[in-house]
Amino acid sequence: MTGAPLTKVDSAVEQPDAAKKHRRSSSSATNVHNINDLEKEGVEIKISPETQQLNWKVNTSPGTIDDKEALKKPLCNPMVKKIDLHFPLGLGVTARNLKGVTIKDALDAIHKQFKKKQDDELELPYLAGFEWDKDESYTRFVVHLKKDGAPVSKKSKKKGAAEE
């Protein structure tokens, strides 16, 4: 017997190309990042502007939103696996999706907190949008709420300027 390395599969021989693989490679999508890795790399995050036009009431199901296509869009770019959503009063929820957090994932996480609340219990019932302040906390978005669901009309501003 020679000292040549074995070529057949043998449990006693370590296979160089059989590197330890992560078992669930299919559940992780490409171009989806961990927010902590993005922070280390100093990557700028852009929140989808569609979140500001949803006119969504936080105690109603995200399925009630008219713009179904907006729900499928990523919440931010680059896409992340999870993001903490922080409310000004201190409440925090986490939206998760291994294929990239979508606007619907974020709304689902928020809805879970508010679905049992009655309309009169909510001072600011409508989603105004999200804010990312990398200086305050890189790994979370601040959730902004507003009193009215109707979009702010730009005509009223023009009207006021015309009266001067």
Side-chain angles (χ1 to χ4, degrees), residues 66 127 157:
D66 297 334
L127 179 72
K157 290 180 183 173

Side-chain angles (χ1 to χ4, degrees), residues 66-84:
D66 297 334
D67 189 1
K68 302 287 185 231
E69 287 302 307
L71 294 177
K72 297 175 188 169
K73 293 185 177 171
L75 178 63
C76 60
N77 198 350
M79 292 177 20
V80 292
K81 292 177 187 172
K82 74 171 196 157
I83 187 71
D84 292 327

Side-chain angles (χ1 to χ4, degrees), residues 19-28:
K20 293 179 184 169
K21 286 192 173 185
H22 191 270
R23 214 174 101 197
R24 284 188 244 146
S25 60
S26 62
S27 65
S28 299

Side-chain angles (χ1 to χ4, degrees), residues 13-74:
V13 178
E14 203 173 298
Q15 299 296 316
D17 40 297
K20 293 179 184 169
K21 286 192 173 185
H22 191 270
R23 214 174 101 197
R24 284 188 244 146
S25 60
S26 62
S27 65
S28 299
T30 54
N31 297 330
V32 180
H33 308 276
N34 183 322
I35 189 87
N36 297 325
D37 295 343
L38 293 177
E39 183 177 19
K40 286 176 196 156
E41 296 167 22
V43 177
E44 286 287 317
I45 296 175
K46 291 182 179 62
I47 299 174
S48 299
E50 290 85 359
T51 60
Q52 296 171 15
Q53 290 117 27
L54 294 174
N55 280 332
W56 174 64
K57 202 170 197 180
V58 296
N59 63 350
T60 59
S61 167
T64 60
I65 292 175
D66 297 334
D67 189 1
K68 302 287 185 231
E69 287 302 307
L71 294 177
K72 297 175 188 169
K73 293 185 177 171

